[in-house]
Each structure stands twice: as structure tokens, then as C-alpha cells.
Amino acid sequence: MTDLLDHITAQIHANGPMRVDEYMATCLLHPTLGYYTTRNPLGVQGDFTTAPEISQMFGEMIGLCLAQTWLSQGAPKRFTLAELGPGRGTLMADIMRATRNVPGFVDATEIALVEASPKLRDTQATTLAGYKVSWADTAAALPDQPLYLVANEFFDALPIRQFIRSADGWRERQIGVTDAALSFGLGPVLPQPALAARLDDTAEGDLIEDCAQIAPNMQAISARIAAHGGAAIIIDYGDWRSLGDTFQALHAHEKTDPLTAPGTSDLTAHVDFEQLAAAASPALHTRVTPQGVFLERLGITQRAQDLAKTMDGTTLEAHIAAHRRLTHPSEMGNLFKVIGVYPPTQIPPPGLEP
């Protein structure tokens, strides 16, 4: 048993079954026992590897996309270059390197990272040594000025609630204790006004997921972009409209039971891109685009070929594998989706369609 399991079990005994979003938040962000507050989860020695860690090409494409958007919007002299959930800072470092030859871009940049983990903040500071960086706890704390933002695998870690449709309405999935182990159960049928529209496209027994934190994060971003200019590039795994159980845990790069050994695994769920789009007003949002299509439109294959000219042997093999992993439909190319946010008076960022 982990210390966090003891803590959660005691909470359930004292207060009754725990909602899935409460469980996720406790497991990931408990101040002294949480997953993100006690470890660096990334890389070979961690539990998962994100796209920026697979190849520098990912960050280069994102950086040039944002830089071209900045130029097309008149190259504002001061702007926030922000990342939500920046991991080790690899993506931001690649963005800054890729844009250093875009006249005026780096000089106009104020880097802001939205990061909850003290350990990862320390790692980001090391990765981005040489740049002036500020940190924020939430997107709402970002400066009120033009905002060029990227969020790669940020929204999937936001806590979700799960609901199962019964003959009489919605019952919420909850976590209780059975024979000293955590287990799933169902709460009573209760009114769920926010889910009224889902009665038209679900049947008895269907499970849907709802993330209450999507709207405030998106609204904070879109309000700045609509008022001051900028753009947001959001990349995550998921699809349009939630249907089915996607709550999952990852430990040492392998899927595991999310109720076993809480605090030792990464907990995520697929992102509902319909919720992202609905919260983008007053800014506009693009069509949802597969990651592979987006990167190909930005020129990743040409970049891969240019880099390959100086490689051979196992280095070249790894490079080819990285390109395939990022873009191929059977790997990350279709699983991960991209949506952009941009001002009503401007065109979408490169690689995305209105």
C-alpha cells in the first residue's frame, strides 16, 4: 500500500465514495504525495514520452507555425509566448531555437509557463537557462497582451467526471473501498442539466466523460487572443464528443490499473474536442485536424529529409522512426488531434483550416 492509498481510503471511509475528478486531482496534485509533485514523469526513466521528447522536429514545426502567425498579425512588439504543462521545457527550447532567425520574434517574446509541479519547474528552468522565464499557476494568470500559446498533452491530465446513462437518467461513477481495495461504483440518479443535450445521442448503459476545467482554461486563453491578438495551438489525444470510458493510468510506459498504487502512475483521459471548441468564444477555432496531417502541412517531411543528410547508421534509423511515430496514422498521426484558436479578424494559423 502507498501512503496516498492510505490517505484516499481514509477519506472515503470518512466522507463516502469519491468522484473520479476528485480522485484524479488527489493522485496527481496532492502537495506531498501526488504524482506530479513528487517526480519527473517524462522520458525513458519515467512513465511516458511526449512528442517533443521524440524529435526536435515537433517543436520546430510548432515554433515556425507560431512565428508565421505572429508575422501575419503585424509582428506585435511585445507578446506572451506561453506553454501549458511544459514538461521538461523541451518544446519551448525547440521553439526558441527554431525561431531565432525570424527577425524580431525572440526579442519580442516574453516566455510564460503554466506549470503545477515544483519539480518540473526546476527542470524547465535548467532547460531554458539563458532565457527570461516566468511561471504561472493557471492560464487565467497570464498577462493581458498578445498571446501565442501551445498546449501539448495538457488537457488530457485535467480531472474528469464520468456518468453512465440509466433508464431513469444519469448516475455518476464513483470510487469506493471493497475488501480494503479501491473499486468503482455508481451513485444515485441525480439531475445533470449540463448533460441534457447528450440524451439525444446516447443509449442506456453508455458512459460519457465531462471535464469542468476545460472551459475556464480555454476562456482565459481565448479572451486574451480575441482582445489582443495571438493564437493557440492545442494538441492532445481524443476526438469530437466524449463517448466511452477513456480513464487510464500509465506506469513505466505500460498501461496499469488506475485504482492500484495511486500517486505512482500518470492518470489521463481522452480530450473532448467539442468541449474545447465550445469554450473558444469570443475567439474563433479551427477544424480539428489529425497531428500527422498538421505536421505534414507545416513541412515536417522536408525538415526530416534535410536533417537525415548528416546522419547514418542507428542515428538515421532512430530519426526515421521518430518521423513515423509523429506522423503515421497507425501511431501518433491519427490518435493525436490539433485545434487552433485565433482572433475573429485574422486567418487561422498555418496548417489548420477555419
Side-chain angles (χ1 to χ4, degrees):
M1 292 180 68
T2 64
D3 290 339
L4 190 56
L5 177 57
D6 292 338
H7 171 76
I8 291 171
T9 300
Q11 274 197 315
I12 291 172
H13 284 314
N15 303 318
M18 183 178 284
R19 293 181 346 196
V20 174
D21 61 335
E22 296 170 336
Y23 177 76
M24 281 186 73
T26 301
C27 290
L28 296 177
L29 297 173
H30 186 280
T32 58
L33 303 172
Y35 179 76
Y36 287 132
T37 52
T38 58
R39 69 198 67 215
N40 185 336
L42 293 158
V44 176
Q45 302 302 317
D47 296 312
F48 59 91
T49 302
T50 60
E53 307 290 336
I54 293 169
S55 170
Q56 69 184 64
M57 296 184 293
F58 182 81
E60 290 170 350
M61 295 299 104
I62 301 299
L64 294 175
C65 174
L66 291 175
Q68 181 58 56
T69 305
W70 173 75
L71 288 169
S72 72
Q73 293 184 8
K77 293 182 179 179
R78 302 304 303 171
F79 67 89
T80 302
L81 179 62
E83 184 176 357
L84 307 184
R88 290 198 283 218
T90 303
L91 175 55
M92 184 58 73
D94 288 340
I95 288 172
M96 296 304 293
R97 188 188 68 256
T99 56
R100 63 190 173 192
N101 292 325
V102 178
F105 185 84
V106 172
D107 289 340
T109 297
E110 295 178 358
I111 299 174
L113 305 179
V114 177
E115 178 58 67
S117 166
K119 284 187 174 294
L120 285 176
R121 285 191 181 195
D122 290 342
T123 302
Q124 292 153 15
T126 301
T127 302
L128 295 167
Y131 296 107
K132 184 179 179 181
V133 180
S134 64
W135 281 266
D137 292 328
T138 66
L142 292 170
D144 283 319
Q145 63 181 15
L147 173 64
Y148 296 82
L149 177 143
V150 60
N152 179 62
E153 292 197 60
F154 170 79
F155 284 93
D156 64 83
L158 297 182
I160 59 158
R161 296 171 69 181
Q162 293 186 316
F163 300 90
I164 294 178
R165 184 172 171 181
S166 71
D168 303 318
W170 297 103
R171 300 179 68 185
E172 183 158 12
R173 203 178 190 200
Q174 299 175 332
I175 296 166
V177 178
T178 304
D179 297 329
L182 298 180
S183 60
F184 285 114
L186 291 175
V189 174
L190 293 172
Q192 301 292 345
L195 304 181
R198 297 306 308 272
L199 293 173
D200 294 334
D201 68 337
T202 55
E204 187 175 345
D206 281 349
L207 184 150
I208 65 171
E209 296 169 339
D210 181 68
C211 179
Q213 292 187 28
I214 282 180
N217 277 282
M218 283 295 288
Q219 287 163 0
I221 294 165
S222 61
R224 285 157 177 77
I225 290 172
H228 306 293
I233 307 295
I234 298 164
I235 307 149
D236 229 312
Y237 54 89
D239 218 326
W240 191 264
R241 191 168 298 173
S242 161
L243 183 62
D245 181 11
T246 71
F247 182 43
Q248 59 191 326
L250 205 63
H251 180 74
H253 300 268
E254 298 289 340
K255 287 188 176 181
T256 187
D257 184 346
L259 301 188
T260 300
T264 65
S265 300
D266 185 41
L267 300 180
T268 64
H270 284 208
V271 175
D272 184 337
F273 277 79
E274 185 178 34
Q275 282 193 300
L276 288 173
S281 180
L284 301 180
H285 66 83
T286 69
R287 295 184 183 184
V288 176
T289 303
Q291 175 179 292
V293 173
F294 174 65
L295 294 175
E296 291 290 2
R297 288 174 177 171
L298 295 178
I300 193 172
T301 294
Q302 181 61 55
R303 177 57 174 157
Q305 292 169 347
D306 291 342
L307 289 171
K309 293 174 182 177
T310 62
M311 299 177 182
D312 57 23
T314 56
T315 302
L316 179 59
E317 291 174 5
H319 174 64
I320 293 170
H323 174 266
R324 176 184 172 84
R325 187 172 177 189
L326 290 173
T327 62
H328 197 276
S330 67
E331 299 206 30
M332 298 174 76
N334 273 359
L335 175 64
F336 282 76
K337 308 295 193 303
V338 185
I339 191 170
V341 178
Y342 61 104
T345 57
Q346 301 290 339
I347 61 174
L352 297 171
E353 299 172 329

